[in-house]
Amino acid sequence: MTDVSLPSRALTQTADLLRHDLVRAADLPALDRVAAEFRIRVTPAMQDAIATPGDPVAAQFVPDVAELTTRPEELLDPIGDAAHSPVPGLTHRYPDRVIVHITKTCDVYCRFCFRRETVGETGPLPAPDLARALDYIAATPAIREVILTGGDPLTLSARRLGDVLARLGTMDHVALVRLHSRVPVVAPERITPALVDTLAAARPTVWLVVHTNHAQELVPEARAALARLAQAGVPLLSQSVLLRGVNDSVAALSDLFRALLAVRVKPYYLHHCDLARGTSHFRTTIAEGRALMAALRGHLSGTALPTYVLDIPGGFGKVPITADHFTPGTARGRWRVTDWQGGVHDYTDPLR
């Protein structure tokens, strides 16, 4: 597999960020240390979306010296992908669905990414590994849903992506394919007629889950790209991450979810920020997130409300942050979390 040619104007070095007045010269030595650990990429669309340095869009993509702080609870594999990988490039955590990490390439490198240790390293999943992953799915009739992620599957060409979808379409037990992508928002020029046709024509049906965290990201080109997908009949959902200083207010989340509904995207998940290395400055507490969700119910209809979820560290799966799954522990900030199989785990909000 090969990636589509990447836009030439993306910012990938700290010197690029300095030329665009997104960082200070005095911070360059520390930011170069951050860049040596975690890649930088800011697309033209997201450059246009940034109104001022440090605003809610800039905070997601421009490196920060706070990323050099690693707390004891932070993990190399925060959600435990490796614990459920029967073949390379595939995660099988739940009986009826699997994740295929079809590429490690992204159009942007989010500063809070839970796969930040591996994205950008190797590009597309090597052909032999992809073949093994598809063979595993074909040989496992319990699998009804296949999630293509990475990296970002929409950095692949329409032809290459179409080949994978066609292979999945030969498997009678696969009823749904889900793609998780930031591309329609951060690189809307990739939503070409060929790609739209590929997604719309695929059988089984493709659902596209768009990752976006702030209404400011939805520049006119992004809204137009989402409209092209919706008009072609591609079902659209969204997932967002609750991020301190970016969207941790009723106003910011309300604006985001209303903006998504306006372009026919149903808010699906709001993720509690995972314990990825160097991300503590983004993390809220569980109590703060629950209070936000409670307040949103007075401002938004059910159509606009996503499910607030935690991926339990260690690979135990995703659960809604509700009283059914979360009970207070013995001290402030400690929680007892029940996973989908009935297992109980301790979760402690890191100190702020």
Side-chain angles (χ1 to χ4, degrees):
M1 285 188 181
T2 57
D3 287 334
V4 176
S5 296
L6 297 173
S8 59
R9 290 174 46 238
L11 310 181
T12 60
Q13 306 293 328
T14 56
D16 298 334
L17 301 174
L18 181 63
R19 281 195 297 273
H20 284 74
D21 297 320
L22 294 174
V23 298
R24 301 183 307 169
D27 294 331
L28 282 186
L31 293 178
D32 283 337
R33 290 168 57 201
V34 176
E37 291 284 330
F38 307 116
R39 288 169 176 78
I40 299 168
R41 188 173 180 80
V42 187
T43 57
M46 291 302 93
Q47 293 169 49
D48 291 343
I50 295 171
T52 57
D55 73 11
V57 179
Q60 296 181 61
F61 306 118
V62 176
D64 190 301
V65 294
E67 294 175 59
L68 296 174
T69 299
T70 300
R71 292 186 52 82
E73 67 274 2
E74 293 177 344
L75 304 168
L76 295 178
D77 182 13
I79 70 169
D81 280 335
H84 301 278
S85 184
V87 297
L90 183 142
T91 300
H92 193 177
R93 182 177 284 109
Y94 305 102
D96 70 332
R97 54 203 182 275
V98 296
I99 293 171
V100 178
H101 306 270
I102 197 167
T103 180
K104 294 296 186 183
T105 298
C106 288
D107 260 313
V108 290
Y109 292 114
C110 302
R111 311 320 302 171
F112 51 86
C113 178
F114 66 91
R115 294 195 178 111
R116 65 193 324 221
E117 306 288 348
T118 59
V119 290
E121 284 188 347
T122 56
L125 187 64
D129 290 343
L130 178 59
R132 288 182 65 188
L134 293 173
D135 288 345
Y136 177 90
I137 296 167
T140 312
I143 297 170
R144 299 190 70 257
E145 184 171 357
V146 176
I147 301 158
L148 302 183
T149 182
D152 196 314
L154 294 190
T155 61
L156 299 173
S157 70
R159 181 179 65 83
R160 296 295 189 182
L161 188 58
D163 289 345
V164 175
L165 294 174
R167 174 71 196 281
L168 293 171
T170 67
M171 305 175 194
D172 292 340
H173 56 286
V174 175
L176 186 71
V177 177
R178 200 189 327 158
L179 274 67
H180 288 197
S181 178
R182 252 195 179 287
V183 160
V185 172
V186 304
E189 69 278 0
R190 289 194 188 271
I191 308 302
T192 61
L195 179 60
V196 172
D197 290 346
T198 295
L199 300 181
R203 295 294 178 270
T205 299
V206 168
W207 285 64
L208 181 57
V209 183
V210 180
H211 181 172
T212 184
N213 298 312
H214 196 277
Q216 192 175 318
E217 295 173 52
L218 298 173
V219 296
E221 295 82 2
R223 292 172 186 263
L226 291 167
R228 293 195 292 276
L229 290 160
Q231 289 163 5
V234 178
L236 299 173
L237 303 171
S238 76
Q239 61 177 354
S240 305
V241 181
L242 182 59
L243 299 169
R244 180 151 51 108
V246 172
N247 60 11
D248 59 333
S249 69
V250 170
L253 291 175
S254 296
D255 287 348
L256 172 62
F257 300 147
R258 287 179 178 136
L260 287 166
L261 283 184
V263 289
R264 291 188 276 181
V265 180
K266 167 71 177 84
Y268 173 44
Y269 277 146
L270 176 65
H271 292 266
H272 192 74
C273 189
D274 294 308
L275 298 175
R277 191 161 60 98
T279 63
S280 61
H281 57 297
F282 282 118
R283 207 165 294 116
T284 67
T285 65
I286 294 289
E288 288 167 336
R290 294 180 75 176
L292 281 170
M293 290 302 296
L296 285 170
R297 289 196 174 276
H299 292 77
L300 299 174
S301 70
T303 310
L305 286 171
T307 301
Y308 179 37
V309 296
L310 173 76
D311 255 309
I312 303 171
F316 298 101
K318 188 185 293 97
V319 293
I321 301 179
T322 63
D324 290 337
H325 294 273
F326 277 72
T327 56
T330 56
R332 183 178 179 183
R334 294 186 179 177
W335 301 89
R336 298 285 280 167
V337 184
T338 303
D339 67 31
W340 66 279
Q341 298 185 93
V344 180
H345 312 271
D346 290 318
Y347 183 86
T348 302
D349 279 324
L351 295 175
R352 292 185 53 159

